[in-house]
Structure formats: structure tokens, C-alpha cells
């Protein structure tokens, strides 16, 4: 039997399923109970982190004060501003974008039939970052106002350019490890060019751009939250509608095709959807590392299944929880100095990825 | 009986270049048709074109009389399902899930299984005798079990035609037999048409109603396996230059040791075969005799020995044959007699065995 980071959970489920006749009601119930528990757990964590997040920051507010501000909209004017204009949009952004990132990761993993694919390691986030920073420096230098639609579009174009490279490489190399290395290299090239651009940008732009290019949820407005929610929830809905072909695709392209999946269209849909989702994240919060790989893996382990119809909503919730936690840490650990969100997600996410690489070794043919 | 699958002047290949052309195949329901041919001869290319993974370069594929090109992906999926060679590594899928994937063309937008779908899955699992595997993780199975589950998945898709690309690769002899037995049962019970490619000629000979020989340029021959798979033709098809193939036995033999016979083996009725094999492995050239031509041992001896002395079927050994054998025997440094009891037809061999002592 293969070793796996979640082996304990998986095996106990398997043995239980084995003793009874499979497909029988008890086994079905067991899976159902596990799913309900998992979603309950994620929901509870989201709820808890929401309040924890809203309660922590450089200005300390009591729980009562927070509740009053939140639900009755009464209280101290400064506290009201802090809560409603700074903390709440930031929390919502972290949750929505975190969810988007992990769903995007799950779609890419389906596309490449490999769990180590993700928008960050494949250099797609960095491509988006490059185009957005080029655009910002160019437009702001000429005092042209930049709309969020333009930013998202720019990030999407950047994502697609990087994706083009990745697809070009993947058509030539079979090994996923080499593909990931190429992705990381593309990421480095894009980051390097971004750094050049930022170095030569005007002084006042630098500070903001620099923060953004490291990845951060700070400085998000309500308007941003509305735009990103619209894009992300539309993407999420479309991804959910792709759940059936994604499930078939898990058996490989040939089988999926023979079962009636229009492969060419499906692959295009996967690429576009995952790029839109990760572009949206990059446009608002900069590149955020490892969420796209670690969260889907953890969610699948938690649910004990890879059925997309469960994993897609699970990924969204899991990503929200993961990013809220990481943002909390980024804000509070070295307060008042903020750590970039990518540093925190890397600390939690990278070990998961390493564990997956080690586990995967035995499977590569 | 009308054919379910028919290809008319089909040309197949990659990137617009035809590898094989003018292919006219027919498979009826309840029939097993097997493609044979050397590695890289285009068996898989033909199959991939039929299952619409590759675009046809020319010609037409008819499924139940309808041009396959005009069918939607879903319609085609309801008529035809596949089992491929390559291994699949689905993540966290139980066998039940893998089999249930076959219901794809029958479920709704979100792919949720209904009561009928569940019953079909159970039925398919029963058919391949894998009910007890249902709850296991697909990753944990042996190759033989996986192939059975993948076959169950294909059955679950309720096809009228199943296409299998070398389904017995990676399998040991037990699973090979098991898989083909299940397939044969399926053909009888559900009257599906089966088109597959096989590497094992012995299996192709046994299971196929028709074999189709592909040689890398064209479909060279097709017909019932007994007519097609003659020793000489197989040798030609596969370009065998080292060793031989015996259609009567259905298995290949390696080339005999060369040189003057050093050992004389008196055998018959299968008793000599292990001795021949052993001598052959050690590279010792040997002669065998006196064998009746209707003895199966005769074929093995002819493949492995330098010289074989034979007698006509059901005849007592003639004086002339005996003298010939005795002459060869005298030249050998050793004689091995595998027979313990000599019947009246075998009198000659008893006399030969006596020569051994002298």
C-alpha cells in the first residue's frame, strides 16, 4: 500500500468500506457524514477566523464594541472607520481571493493531471504581476487613471502569456517535475523584469507597487470587494458546472473523450477559468504562493474523496480559511510591521507541497 | 447477422499523414475481432481512430449503420466504450467510483447518479467478479484487478461495441485468462461487439472469431484465426528470423543450438520435452528420436533439436528408421532415455535404449 500524508484517514475509511458490502447504505452514509463534518468544520473555522481577524489589529477593540459596530453600526467614529473601511473589506477580500486561488489551483491540477500544478509554481501569477506592474507604471506615469477592469484584464493577459509558455513546455516534456522547474524559472524571469520596472518607476508609485508585488491584502476598498466578488463567484459557478467533466477527466484524456467529454473545449474552459480566477487574485492582492497547491490537497484529504462536485466548494471554503489564517498571522505576528502574505502562505503551504513531491516519486513512470 | 462496426476505406495516421490506408474492417455483435501485428505496426492507431481520439485521414467509420462523424460525443459514448493500455492514476477514487464514471453519458448536468445508475454499476462489478473490490482505493489494486475494474467501467457504459487496446499487457497469465474469460462471457451474454488488439498470438487464436493482421503498411490479411495464423505466415508477419512459431501449439520457440548433436534423447509422448528444454538452455546440440509424427512432442523437438528422427503416425518403427537413428546415436557422446515402458509400436525405441548400454 502506498504511503500518503493522509494515509491514516484514508485507510480507516477503506477498511470500513471493505468489511461491509460496498455501495451499501452504511458506506454511503459514512461518506456523507464525513462530508457534512468536513464542511461543518470548514464553516466553523471560517466563522471563528472572521471574528478573530476583525478583533485583532493595532487598535484593540473589545468583543462587545466589535459586535455593536458590526450589527448596530453604533460606536466610536474612529473605531467605526477602522472596522468598516479597513478590516472588513480586507477580511472579505482575503476570504474571496483565497477561495479563488485554490479553485484555480484545482482546475490547473485537473488540466495537467498532476497535483503539483498551481498558478504560483507554474509562473502564471508572476506573468500577471509583470503585465500589471508594466501597465501601472506606464499609465500612472502619464497620469491616466487605472480602472479595476483594466487591472484584471491586464493580469489575465499576463496569465495567458505565462500559460502559453507553460503549455509550450508541457507539449515537449513528459515529466511534471521538469514542467514545475520551468514554471518556477518563468516566475523568476517575470519577477526580475517586474523588479526592474519598479526600480525605474516614480518614487510615489514604488511604495504601493512594491507592497503589492510581494502579495498583500492591505488597502482593499469596498468597491474592490464588489468587483472581485462578482468575478470570483461567476468563475466559481462556472467551475462548479464543470464538475462532471472534471470527474471524467480524472481517468485521463482518452477515457474522458470516450465517455463523451469534448476534450478540446473542456481543456480550453479549464485554462480560461483558472486564469481568470488567478488573474483576479493577482490584480487585487499580488502573487500569493502555494495556496493553489496546498489547499486542494488538504481539502481532498479532509473529504477523503476527489469528487469535484465536493472538492470545488470545499476548495473555496478551505482557501478562504487558509488565507484568513495567513493574513491574521501576517498582520499580527510582527505588528505593527506587516509581513507579506506570500511569506506566511509559503511557510504553511511549501511543506505540504514537499510532502506531496516525496509521496509522488513512486508514481512517476 | 449485420455488422455493428464497419470501416469503409478508412485511412489512419497522425498529423494528416496516413500510416495505414484502405482499411475495411467489420465487427458484428457477439463477435470478437482481434488485431495482431508487430510492435508499431499501427494497431493502436487504428483503434484510436475508431474511438475518435484521432481524426480519420480518409474514409468512413460506420457505427450501427450511421456515419460516426455525425454522432455527438454523447451519442457515440452510448454506443462504444474503451479499455486502453496505459495505466491510469486517478486520485482518491474507489473502484466503485471508477466504474461509476462509465455512467457519464447517462447522467445529468452535474453527474449525480440515480438509482438505475447504481444498479448498473453493481451489475458491472458482478460481471467482472469484483464486487468485493468496490470500496477499495483504485491505487491500491494489482494490475490484474485494475484491468478488471476498467473493464467493468466499460461495461457500465452499456456499449454495443467495446474497443480494447492490448488489455492483457502487464498482466500475468492468470489475469490474462481471467480477463479474456470475462470478455467472452460478456460477448455471449450481452451480444456486444468486441474489437481489440492483442500481443499474445496464443490468446488471439483462442478467443477471436476473426483476426486482422496489420503489418505497418496495410491490413495484410483477415479471417478466422485457424486459417490466418499458420506457422509460415506468422513468421513472415512478425519478421521472425530467430526461432520459430508453431501454429499447432500456438507458441513461439527460440532457435535451436547449432553444431553436431552431442546428446541423443529417446523420447515420446511428451516425456522428452523437459529434457530438450534443459539441453537447449545449456546450449548443447542434441538429436531426438524416434518420434511418431503425430506426437506433439515432435513439434517441440523439431524446433529445438539439431536433428529429429521420426516415424509415420501409428506405424511400428521400421527397420530403416531404426538404423538411421542408431547411426546418429553412435555419434553422440551420451544417450538419455526418457521412456520407461515401450509399447508394441515403440519396439524400435526399446532396441535403441539397449544400444545405450553398449
Amino acid at each position: 500500500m502506498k504511503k500518503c500524508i493522509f494515509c491514516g484517514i484514508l485507510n480507516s475509511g477503506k477498511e470500513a468500506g471493505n468489511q461491509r458490502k460496498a455501495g451499501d447504505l452504511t458506506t454511503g452514509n459514512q461518506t456523507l457524514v464525513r462530508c457534512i463534518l468536513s464542511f461543518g468544520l470548514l464553516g466553523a473555522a471560517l466563522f471563528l477566523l472572521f471574528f478573530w481577524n476583525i478583533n485583532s489589529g493595532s487598535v484593540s477593540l473589545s468583543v462587545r464594541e466589535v459586535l455593536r459596530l458590526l450589527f448596530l453600526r453604533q460606536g466610536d467614529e474612529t473605531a467605526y472607520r477602522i472596522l468598516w473601511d479597513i478590516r472588513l473589506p480586507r477580511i472579505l477580500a482575503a476570504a474571496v481571493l483565497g477561495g479563488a486561488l485554490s479553485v484555480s489551483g484545482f482546475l490547473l491540477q485537473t488540466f495537467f493531471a498532476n497535483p503539483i500544478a498551481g498558478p504560483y509554481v507554474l509562473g502564471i501569477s508572476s506573468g500577471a504581476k509583470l503585465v500589471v506592474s508594466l501597465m501601472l507604471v506606464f499609465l500612472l506615469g502619464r497620469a491616466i487613471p487605472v480602472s479595476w477592469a483594466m487591472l484584471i484584464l491586464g493580469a489575465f493577459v499576463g496569465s495567458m502569456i505565462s500559460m502559453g509558455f507553460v503549455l509550450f513546455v508541457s507539449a515537449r516534456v513528459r515529466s511534471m517535475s521538469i514542467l514545475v522547474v520551468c514554471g518556477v524559472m518563468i516566475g523568476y524571469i517575470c519577477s526580475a523584469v517586474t523588479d526592474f520596472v519598479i526600480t525605474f518607476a516614480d518614487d510615489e508609485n514604488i511604495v504601493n507597487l512594491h507592497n503589492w508585488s510581494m502579495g498583500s491584502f492591505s488597502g482593499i476598498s469596498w468597491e474592490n470587494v464588489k468587483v472581485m466578488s462578482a468575478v470570483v463567484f461567476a468563475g466559481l459557478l462556472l467551475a462548479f458546472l464543470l464538475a462532471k467533466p472534471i470527474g471524467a477527466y480524472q481517468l485521463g484524456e482518452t477515457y474522458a473523450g470516450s465517455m463523451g467529454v469534448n476534450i478540446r473545449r473542456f481543456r480550453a474552459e479549464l485554462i480560461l477559468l483558472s486564469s481568470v480566477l488567478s488573474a483576479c487574485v493577482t490584480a487585487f492582492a499580488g502573487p500569493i504562493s502555494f495556496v493553489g497547491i496546498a489547499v486542494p490537497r488538504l481539502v481532498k484529504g479532509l473529504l477523503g474523496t476527489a469528487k469535484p462536485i465536493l472538492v470545488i466548494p470545499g476548495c473555496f471554503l478551505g482557501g478562504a480559511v487558509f488565507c484568513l489564517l495567513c493574513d491574521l498571522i501576517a498582520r499580527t505576528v510582527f505588528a505593527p510591521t506587516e509581513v507579506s502574505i506570500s511569506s506566511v502562505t509559503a511557510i504553511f503551504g511549501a511543506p505540504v507541497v514537499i510532502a506531496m513531491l516525496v509521496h509522488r516519486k513512486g508514481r512517476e513512470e | 447477422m449485420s455488422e455493428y462496426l464497419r470501416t469503409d476505406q478508412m485511412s489512419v495516421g497522425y498529423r494528416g499523414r496516413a500510416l495505414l490506408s484502405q482499411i475495411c474492417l467489420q465487427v458484428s455483435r457477439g463477435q470478437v475481432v482481434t488485431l495482431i501485428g508487430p510492435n508499431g505496426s499501427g494497431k493502436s492507431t487504428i483503434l484510436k481512430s475508431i474511438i475518435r481520439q484521432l481524426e480519420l485521414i480518409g474514409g468512413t467509420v460506420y457505427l450501427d449503420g450511421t456515419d460516426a462523424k455525425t454522432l455527438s460525443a454523447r451519442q457515440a459514448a452510448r454506443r462504444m466504450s474503451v479499455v486502453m493500455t496505459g495505466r491510469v492514476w486517478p486520485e482518491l477514487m474507489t473502484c466503485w467510483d471508477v466504474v461509476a464514471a462509465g455512467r457519464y453519458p447517462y447522467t445529468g448536468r452535474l453527474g449525480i447518479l440515480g438509482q438505475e445508475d447504481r444498479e448498473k454499476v453493481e451489475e458491472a462489478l458482478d460481471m467482472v467478479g469484483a464486487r468485493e473490490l468496490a470500496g477499495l482505493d483504485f491505487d491500491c489494486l494489482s494490475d490484474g484487478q485494475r484491468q478488471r475494474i476498467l473493464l467493468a467501467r466499460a461495461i457500465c457504459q452499456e456499449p454495443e461495441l467495446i474497443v480494447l487496446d492490448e488489455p492483457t499487457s502487464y498482466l500475468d497469465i492468470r489475469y490474462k485468462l481471467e480477463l479474456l474469460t470475462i470478455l467472452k462471457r460478456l460477448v455471449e451474454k450481452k451480444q456486444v461487439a468486441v474489437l481489440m488488439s492483442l500481443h499474445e498470438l496464443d490468446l488471439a487464436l483462442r478467443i477471436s472469431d476473426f483476426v486482422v493482421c496489420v503489418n505497418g503498411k496495410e491490413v495484410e490479411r483477415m479471417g478466422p484465426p485457424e486459417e490466418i495464423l499458420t506457422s509460415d505466415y506468422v513468421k513472415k508477419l512478425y519478421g521472425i528470423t530467430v526461432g520459430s512459431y508453431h501454429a499447432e501449439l500456438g507458441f513461439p520457440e527460440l532457435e535451436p543450438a547449432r553444431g553436431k548433436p552431442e546428446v541423443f534423447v529417446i523420447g515420446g509422448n511428451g516425456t522428452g520435452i523437459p529434457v530438450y528444454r534443459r539441453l537447449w538452455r545449456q546450449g548443447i546440440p542434441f538429436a531426438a528420436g524416434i518420434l511418431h509424427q503425430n506426437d506433439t512432442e515432435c513439434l517441440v523437438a523439431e524446433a529445438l533439436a539439431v536433428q529429429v528422427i521420426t516415424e509415420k503416425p501409428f506405424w511400428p518403427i521400421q527397420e530403416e528408421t531404426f538404423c538411421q537413428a542408431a547411426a546418429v546415436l553412435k555419434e553422440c557422446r551420451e544417450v538419455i532415455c526418457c521412456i520407461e515402458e515401450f509399447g508394441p509400436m515403440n519396439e524400435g525405441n526399446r532396441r535403441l535404449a539397449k544400444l545405450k548400454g553398449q
Side-chain angles (χ1 to χ4, degrees):
Chain A
M1 187 166 297
K2 278 168 189 136
K3 276 184 194 153
C4 150
I5 33 174
F6 301 107
C7 233
I9 312 169
L10 290 180
N11 287 347
S12 60
K14 261 178 245 157
E15 276 149 26
N18 202 13
Q19 279 159 10
R20 301 183 189 91
K21 249 192 211 168
D24 130 5
L25 272 177
T26 340
T27 321
N29 274 347
Q30 224 173 25
T31 323
L32 191 70
V33 167
R34 181 165 178 180
C35 280
I36 292 171
L37 279 180
S38 308
F39 276 101
L41 187 70
L42 287 174
L46 193 63
F47 188 76
L48 186 78
L49 280 165
F50 177 82
F51 281 102
W52 194 348
N53 248 314
I54 217 162
N55 246 329
S56 40
S58 43
V59 179
S60 63
L61 302 167
S62 74
V63 178
R64 247 189 86 190
E65 240 178 319
V66 167
L67 289 179
R68 256 187 65 176
L69 284 167
L70 211 55
F71 294 109
L72 302 172
R73 303 203 175 197
Q74 289 169 353
D76 180 54
E77 178 64 24
T78 330
Y80 184 86
R81 287 273 149 253
I82 289 174
L83 197 96
W84 277 94
D85 292 351
I86 299 176
R87 288 192 193 165
L88 211 49
R90 178 172 184 154
I91 290 165
L92 290 178
V96 168
L97 297 182
L101 209 49
S102 37
V103 172
S104 162
F106 177 68
L107 297 178
L108 281 177
Q109 286 145 27
T110 307
F111 183 90
F112 289 107
N114 194 302
I116 315 165
Y120 189 82
V121 287
L122 292 180
I124 294 162
S125 299
S126 309
K129 176 173 93 167
L130 173 61
V131 173
V132 169
S133 50
L134 276 175
M135 207 166 80
L136 279 177
V137 168
F138 182 81
L139 294 176
L140 290 178
R142 280 158 190 72
I144 303 169
V146 181
S147 74
W148 285 106
M150 283 164 76
L151 275 188
I152 296 179
L153 196 70
F156 179 69
V157 169
S159 299
M160 291 312 287
I161 292 172
S162 281
M163 186 57 117
F165 276 113
V166 172
L167 291 178
F168 178 80
V169 173
S170 78
R172 273 153 193 78
V173 293
R174 288 254 145 220
S175 157
M176 188 59 201
S177 319
I178 293 175
L179 186 66
V180 169
V181 172
C182 288
V184 171
M185 292 304 144
I186 293 171
Y188 270 117
I189 295 170
C190 293
S191 292
V193 178
T194 313
D195 283 346
F196 282 130
V197 172
I198 291 175
T199 312
F200 293 110
D202 292 341
D203 284 329
E204 55 181 305
N205 294 331
I206 292 177
V207 183
N208 281 334
L209 257 182
H210 189 71
N211 269 343
W212 170 83
S213 74
M214 300 294 287
S216 168
F217 288 121
S218 67
I220 300 258
S221 71
W222 274 108
E223 199 213 331
N224 299 354
V225 173
K226 278 180 202 154
V227 175
M228 72 177 72
S229 301
V231 176
V232 168
F233 283 111
L236 186 67
L237 184 73
L238 289 176
F240 193 71
L241 289 177
L242 281 184
K244 188 184 169 190
I246 290 174
Y249 205 75
Q250 283 169 341
L251 282 178
E253 205 177 297
T254 313
Y255 283 112
S258 81
M259 289 190 272
V261 179
N262 182 340
I263 297 293
R264 206 173 281 184
R265 206 181 93 191
F266 173 68
R267 284 173 68 96
E269 283 167 344
L270 275 186
I271 286 291
L272 287 177
L273 212 51
S274 67
S275 296
V276 166
L277 286 173
S278 72
C280 183
V281 176
T282 311
F284 289 103
I288 297 172
S289 59
F290 299 112
V291 178
I293 305 179
V295 173
R297 172 72 253 182
L298 294 170
V299 166
K300 281 179 213 160
L302 186 69
L303 292 170
T305 176
K307 285 198 186 93
I309 202 159
L310 295 169
V311 172
I312 291 172
C315 271
F316 188 81
L317 277 181
V321 168
F322 191 84
C323 279
L324 278 181
L325 179 68
C326 290
D327 194 39
L328 182 71
I329 293 168
R331 283 194 311 133
T332 54
V333 169
F334 297 109
T337 315
E338 248 188 52
V339 189
S340 87
I341 181 77
S342 255
S343 316
V344 185
T345 54
I347 286 173
F348 289 106
V352 178
V353 178
I354 293 171
M356 284 163 66
L357 279 169
V358 172
H359 162 59
R360 189 170 167 79
K361 219 177 160 189
R363 295 189 15 168
E364 230 153 324
E365 281 172 68
Chain B
M1 193 162 54
S2 74
E3 63 275 359
Y4 187 79
L5 169 79
R6 186 162 67 87
T7 69
D8 184 26
Q9 304 283 318
M10 179 175 76
S11 298
V12 299
Y14 295 90
R15 292 165 210 268
R17 280 228 308 276
L19 192 68
L20 298 156
S21 41
Q22 309 278 315
I23 304 165
C24 300
L25 287 176
Q26 281 157 25
V27 189
S28 301
R29 297 191 68 160
Q31 247 182 12
V32 178
V33 174
T34 308
L35 302 182
I36 62 161
N39 283 337
S41 60
K43 301 188 293 287
S44 291
T45 316
I46 293 179
L47 295 181
K48 280 179 191 165
S49 304
I50 289 173
I51 65 169
R52 322 206 308 175
Q53 195 192 338
L54 287 176
E55 270 178 47
L56 292 183
I57 310 285
T60 324
V61 174
Y62 293 99
L63 274 179
D64 206 9
T66 320
D67 183 352
K69 239 184 285 176
T70 62
L71 295 173
S72 72
R74 194 181 170 99
Q75 281 172 326
R78 287 182 177 198
R79 294 177 185 218
M80 172 166 66
S81 70
V82 304
V83 176
M84 301 306 289
T85 335
R87 300 182 187 202
V88 287
W89 297 107
E91 208 186 350
L92 290 176
M93 271 174 111
T94 61
C95 293
W96 207 89
D97 293 337
V98 172
V99 177
R103 298 305 297 167
Y104 190 95
Y106 302 94
T107 54
R109 191 80 185 85
L110 290 177
I112 293 162
L113 299 176
Q115 187 56 41
E116 196 200 332
D117 296 316
R118 289 172 192 283
E119 280 162 16
K120 297 282 183 199
V121 174
E122 302 279 311
E123 192 195 331
L125 279 167
D126 281 341
M127 195 161 238
V128 302
R131 199 173 245 272
E132 73 285 354
L133 299 178
L136 294 182
D137 194 314
F138 188 76
D139 264 6
C140 302
L141 300 188
S142 70
D143 284 330
Q145 291 170 327
R146 274 169 206 240
Q147 211 62 348
R148 262 198 288 169
I149 293 295
L150 288 173
L151 181 60
R153 191 210 63 78
I155 294 170
C156 191
Q157 208 173 320
E158 294 189 285
E160 277 143 342
L161 167 71
I162 298 189
V163 176
L164 304 98
D165 190 6
E166 285 166 23
T168 52
S169 309
Y170 310 124
L171 303 192
D172 66 25
I173 182 72
R174 177 190 143 202
Y175 283 124
K176 276 187 214 274
L177 293 175
E178 226 175 68
L179 192 85
L180 294 181
T181 310
I182 295 167
L183 203 59
K184 196 80 194 166
R185 218 163 48 211
L186 177 74
V187 170
E188 278 162 19
K189 200 171 156 194
K190 301 226 157 177
Q191 286 294 304
V192 293
V194 171
L195 176 66
M196 65 176 164
S197 61
L198 275 183
H199 262 313
E200 298 87 349
L201 293 179
D202 51 331
L203 298 178
L205 180 72
R206 284 161 179 77
I207 194 171
S208 323
D209 294 302
F210 285 99
V211 291
V212 175
C213 307
V214 186
N215 69 355
K217 290 189 289 292
E218 56 183 351
V219 170
E220 202 169 51
R221 269 191 186 192
M222 55 180 115
E226 304 77 24
E227 286 173 25
I228 299 291
L229 296 175
T230 60
S231 309
D232 287 341
Y233 179 66
V234 168
K235 245 182 134 160
K236 178 176 162 262
L237 176 67
Y238 283 87
I240 300 175
T241 49
V242 181
S244 58
Y245 174 83
H246 283 281
E248 296 85 345
L249 298 174
F251 54 74
E253 287 293 356
L254 292 150
E255 206 176 3
R258 288 176 211 279
K260 241 172 71 82
E262 289 173 24
V263 176
F264 194 94
V265 184
I266 304 170
N269 203 20
T271 53
I273 294 176
V275 181
Y276 304 148
R277 297 231 181 272
R278 192 130 180 208
L279 287 169
W280 181 87
R281 274 202 301 279
Q282 289 169 4
I284 303 169
F286 64 93
I290 301 165
L291 299 169
H292 285 91
Q293 282 155 7
N294 57 339
D295 192 336
T296 44
E297 185 176 330
C298 200
L299 294 166
V300 181
E302 272 168 355
L304 298 179
V306 179
Q307 194 178 359
V308 184
I309 294 114
T310 59
E311 183 53 82
K312 280 178 285 183
F314 305 112
W315 274 67
I317 291 164
Q318 308 283 296
E319 189 57 28
E320 191 188 337
T321 321
F322 172 76
C323 289
Q324 193 195 346
V328 177
L329 186 139
K330 274 181 191 136
E331 294 295 308
C332 295
R333 60 179 163 85
E334 213 163 309
V335 179
I336 301 171
C337 180
C338 310
I339 305 176
E340 281 166 8
E341 222 185 316
F342 301 93
M345 295 295 177
N346 228 0
E347 185 59 22
N349 271 333
R350 200 174 59 81
R351 284 167 63 203
L352 264 187
K354 269 189 188 157
L355 284 178
K356 173 190 171 185
Q358 292 168 9

